[in-house]
Amino acid sequence: MQRDYLPYPTRFLLMQRHLLTLLTLFLGTPTISAGEKPNVLLIMADDLGYSDLGCYGAEIETPQLDAIAENGLRFTQFYNTARCWPTRASLLTGFYAQQIRRDKLPHIPSGGGNRGIRQNWAVLLPRLLQPIGYRSYHSGKWHIDGLPLENGFDRSYLLQDQSRFFNPQIHYLDDEKLPPVAPDSNYYGTIAVADHAIKVLREHNDKHSDHPFFHYIGFAAPHFPLQALPEDIAFYEGIYDSGWEAIRQQRWERMQAMGIVDTAAVTEPSAPERKLGPPYHFDDAYEILGPGEVAAPILWDELTDEQKEFQATKMAIHAAMIHRMDLEIGRIFDQVKAMGKWDNTIVMFLSDNGASAEIMVRADGHDPEAPLGSAPTYLCLGPGWSTACNTPFRRHKTWTHEGGTSTPLIVSWPDGIKARGETRGNPGHVIDVVPTLLELTGAAPHPDAPPSPGKSLAPVFKEDGTVEHDQLWWFHDNHRAIRVGDWKAVASKDEPWELYDLSVDRGESSDLAQTHPEKLQQLVKAWETSTEEFTELAKEGLSKQELEQAKGKSDRSDAMKKAQEEAKRRSQ
């Protein structure tokens, strides 16, 4: 039965918000002087695994991010949505992507690209910061409906072409399309993103230094295709010859020594799922890539010498992309320091999903004669190395198990966070970023928006364990999950629900569905109730015609649906 109104709890909380807004207008808005308002650098990597940074256990050198971790906080139970576009929608609005039509719900016009258009109240963070004097900037990947300037950013470089690091064909400056970059132009996407960030920060310092800034930087690294500068690849040559099991074990040992994992919750890395390959299977990719590619995380010792060399080189390129991103982040940090703004700048760094097991060939194809990692090649990380990069967790990007949804989160703010080099085990989610920044900047939510499901993590900056969520919820590619306290129910597409006690099994290795059926039923009911409420909210403002047209429509092409089904068949 359809309803044309919001569920009662949402309506009640929305009325509370309107009353608070009226009281604020009547009594006066609390003022924070420009000098007191913090600047914000919000930096997102793309397809970075949980253990892919030096300060989270990797052998990859990331000294810039390691330094802010040493002088700030590392969160150990922070989550994303398992995929790029829903994470970015949640990151900049404070809502689950399905609530604002930015990931698929059945019978709702929703999904990535421009298939799902946000409600008028689902504004991005810059719109909320404008009334209190902030200037907002964007550099890099976008993957949100609309364009940056029309969504409140003052300056933007949008790198839309995600298939060419050396010569992108589609990119925008301040919402205006730029000419394609020609091959051999000495262009590299990660450097270009940092160059733009530095340019607008300098402009801010010259023309708007009396205003605080919010700068959202979306690097495309280390998303496929694996393409990196030759000198960066050479730096990691030979490092991965020992194979993915050895690298995973080394990372696990470093993570334990660093205190990144709760050893009561994770006693050992999750067992590799040897038959589980990419989430989508494309036969032609293996024909194009040749005999060095493998479709599953089989034992390293079972690979041929050719496969070992090919796979080790792929991981070296992945590492090189992360290494270069860190170097470019360092240049951005240096610019903020040169402006004298560092101590009052909040830096938040995280990833949009776990490392990817995908294998495909797109765009200009793959030239097997070209040096691996160069512009004419098209490589993906694949499930063997993805398993290592997501150490110690299970599964990969797109899945709602811990490996697909867990991200590093580093937070630094010298003036505002007194803790140095500490970890925080308080669970959090990308829906928490906007509520956190609203509290710290003194900005207000949109008056017409329902309450955000996110929580401000500002109290956690001072003391761990001070913020509780009623639940955390996931739904992507028909994979489902919900976490309530330390209990998590999770189900892959067309598979039964599993149940885990994350306080002793964050590796999701011991399914308790049979021994705790009542607990599982409770969590599944909570997931279904939230899904129904989110669907009602997503329907708001849509015409009957729009809803009717959305029935039976998919946010996936027939080719992608077929590829997902084939991948599932091969994993059984």
Side-chain angles (χ1 to χ4, degrees):
M1 178 178 178
Q2 293 187 353
R3 295 181 294 181
D4 58 358
Y5 56 87
L6 296 176
Y8 176 75
T10 303
R11 286 185 288 129
F12 177 72
L13 290 169
L14 187 54
M15 286 188 290
Q16 283 187 316
R17 170 160 301 171
H18 281 300
L19 287 172
L20 287 172
T21 301
L22 291 172
L23 284 171
T24 300
L25 291 171
F26 180 76
L27 297 174
T29 303
T31 57
I32 304 173
S33 70
E36 292 175 337
K37 294 174 185 173
N39 306 297
V40 180
L41 285 178
L42 179 59
I43 306 173
M44 175 159 277
D46 200 339
D47 288 9
L48 181 93
Y50 183 77
S51 67
D52 266 343
L53 303 177
C55 55
Y56 277 78
E59 66 295 327
I60 302 170
E61 294 195 17
T62 53
Q64 305 300 327
L65 292 169
D66 296 352
I68 63 167
E70 185 178 345
N71 290 284
L73 301 172
R74 285 170 293 171
F75 282 69
T76 62
Q77 294 195 78
F78 201 78
Y79 293 104
N80 47 48
T81 72
R83 198 64 172 273
C84 39
W85 65 87
T87 288
R88 291 162 206 278
S90 295
L91 179 75
L92 292 179
T93 65
F95 291 89
Y96 289 112
Q98 284 80 359
Q99 291 180 287
I100 55 173
R101 309 177 190 144
R102 290 302 299 154
D103 202 5
K104 184 62 181 174
L105 280 171
H107 311 310
I108 299 289
S110 53
N114 282 319
R115 287 184 292 270
I117 306 301
R118 288 171 287 120
Q119 301 93 324
N120 290 336
W121 52 260
V123 298
L124 304 187
L125 181 57
R127 288 289 186 214
L128 305 177
L129 296 177
Q130 281 175 335
I132 59 169
Y134 274 79
R135 298 271 301 176
S136 292
Y137 309 113
H138 160 259
S139 306
K141 186 168 179 175
W142 182 241
H143 226 158
I144 303 172
D145 55 311
L147 289 168
L149 267 62
E150 66 186 35
N151 278 281
F153 286 92
D154 295 290
R155 298 296 304 276
S156 166
Y157 174 60
L158 192 166
L159 183 52
Q160 184 168 322
D161 188 344
Q162 300 300 304
S163 290
R164 301 170 181 88
F165 275 84
F166 291 101
N167 60 311
Q169 302 300 289
I170 305 174
H171 56 155
Y172 296 79
L173 183 65
D174 294 337
D175 292 2
E176 297 292 330
K177 196 171 185 179
L178 295 170
V181 177
D184 303 317
S185 298
N186 200 31
Y187 177 101
Y188 185 66
T190 302
I191 296 175
V193 168
D195 283 346
H196 178 264
I198 292 167
K199 179 181 179 181
V200 297
L201 286 171
R202 287 174 178 165
E203 179 186 84
H204 179 92
N205 196 48
D206 292 341
K207 299 180 180 180
H208 308 287
S209 60
D210 56 336
H211 290 266
F213 66 79
F214 167 71
H215 200 143
Y216 170 49
I217 304 169
F219 286 102
H223 191 288
F224 60 84
L226 301 178
Q227 295 179 347
L229 300 175
E231 61 268 30
D232 293 341
I233 299 172
F235 189 83
Y236 290 93
E237 185 177 355
I239 297 295
Y240 298 102
D241 291 351
S242 58
W244 39 60
E245 290 102 355
I247 295 298
R248 195 176 194 225
Q249 181 62 29
Q250 292 164 14
R251 290 190 176 194
W252 167 241
E253 291 172 0
R254 284 190 290 268
M255 296 174 90
Q256 292 178 91
M258 291 176 175
I260 289 299
V261 292
D262 178 356
T263 53
V266 188
T267 58
E268 61 183 357
S270 63
E273 297 179 80
R274 299 294 183 189
K275 295 183 67 177
L276 185 69
Y280 318 103
H281 181 85
F282 302 98
D283 280 324
D284 63 333
Y286 300 91
E287 297 171 6
I288 295 168
L289 295 168
E293 192 56 277
V294 292
I298 61 178
L299 289 168
W300 186 261
D301 287 344
E302 295 179 1
L303 299 180
T304 66
D305 289 344
E306 181 179 9
Q307 289 171 334
K308 289 179 180 178
E309 181 180 359
F310 186 83
Q311 297 297 322
T313 302
K314 285 203 308 177
M315 184 60 197
I317 303 166
H318 177 83
M321 296 172 77
I322 295 169
H323 182 99
R324 173 55 54 182
M325 178 175 62
D326 183 78
L327 292 172
E328 299 308 312
I329 288 172
R331 291 205 297 131
I332 297 169
F333 289 171
D334 287 345
Q335 175 59 36
V336 177
K337 292 172 183 176
M339 294 160 60
K341 303 292 188 182
W342 180 255
D343 287 347
N344 196 32
T345 295
I346 301 167
V347 180
M348 305 180 80
F349 175 91
L350 69 165
S351 179
D352 60 349
N353 42 250
S356 173
E358 291 164 286
I359 296 176
M360 63 185 72
V361 177
R362 289 176 171 172
D364 301 324
H366 172 76
D367 181 357
E369 302 301 320
L372 296 182
S374 64
T377 64
Y378 202 105
L379 304 172
C380 298
L381 190 62
W385 288 120
S386 179
T387 300
C389 294
N390 291 329
T391 302
F393 302 128
R394 181 182 171 198
R395 298 203 171 177
H396 325 271
K397 168 186 174 180
T398 77
W399 280 280
T400 52
H401 290 75
E402 294 289 286
T405 60
S406 296
T407 173
L409 172 66
I410 306 172
V411 183
S412 167
W413 182 19
D415 278 354
I417 298 176
K418 302 308 177 186
R420 297 289 182 267
E422 296 183 8
T423 60
R424 293 290 186 263
N426 203 121
H429 190 283
V430 287
I431 56 173
D432 299 328
V433 171
V434 165
T436 301
L437 293 177
L438 292 182
E439 177 176 345
L440 296 177
T441 61
H446 192 286
D448 296 330
S452 166
K455 304 281 187 180
S456 171
L457 298 176
V460 185
F461 293 173
K462 297 179 181 179
E463 183 180 354
D464 200 7
T466 50
V467 173
E468 292 186 11
H469 295 79
D470 294 334
Q471 64 181 36
L472 296 173
W473 178 95
W474 290 268
F475 185 39
H476 181 72
D477 245 8
N478 288 307
H479 305 312
R480 300 152 286 163
I482 187 168
R483 176 173 176 168
V484 178
D486 285 325
W487 287 98
K488 179 180 177 182
V490 58
S492 296
K493 181 180 182 294
D494 299 329
E495 294 181 13
W497 285 92
E498 303 163 3
L499 178 68
Y500 300 100
D501 179 357
L502 300 186
S503 69
V504 294
D505 185 21
R506 201 171 166 208
E508 298 169 313
S509 60
S510 180
D511 182 6
L512 303 176
Q514 296 299 316
T515 57
H516 293 73
E518 292 182 359
K519 175 59 69 175
L520 177 61
Q521 185 179 17
Q522 177 187 352
L523 265 64
V524 171
K525 178 62 176 176
W527 186 91
E528 292 172 345
T529 298
S530 292
T531 304
E532 291 171 3
E533 292 186 355
F534 297 167
T535 301
E536 292 296 330
L537 184 59
K539 284 181 181 179
E540 181 186 353
L542 296 174
S543 67
K544 290 183 178 180
Q545 183 180 4
E546 288 173 310
L547 293 170
E548 191 65 31
Q549 289 174 345
K551 286 183 178 180
K553 280 193 175 181
S554 173
D555 65 337
R556 286 284 185 273
S557 67
D558 290 342
M560 288 298 291
K561 288 189 286 186
K562 181 180 177 182
Q564 187 180 31
E565 291 301 323
E566 178 61 17
K568 180 179 175 61
R569 186 189 68 79
R570 287 172 174 267
S571 69
Q572 293 172 343

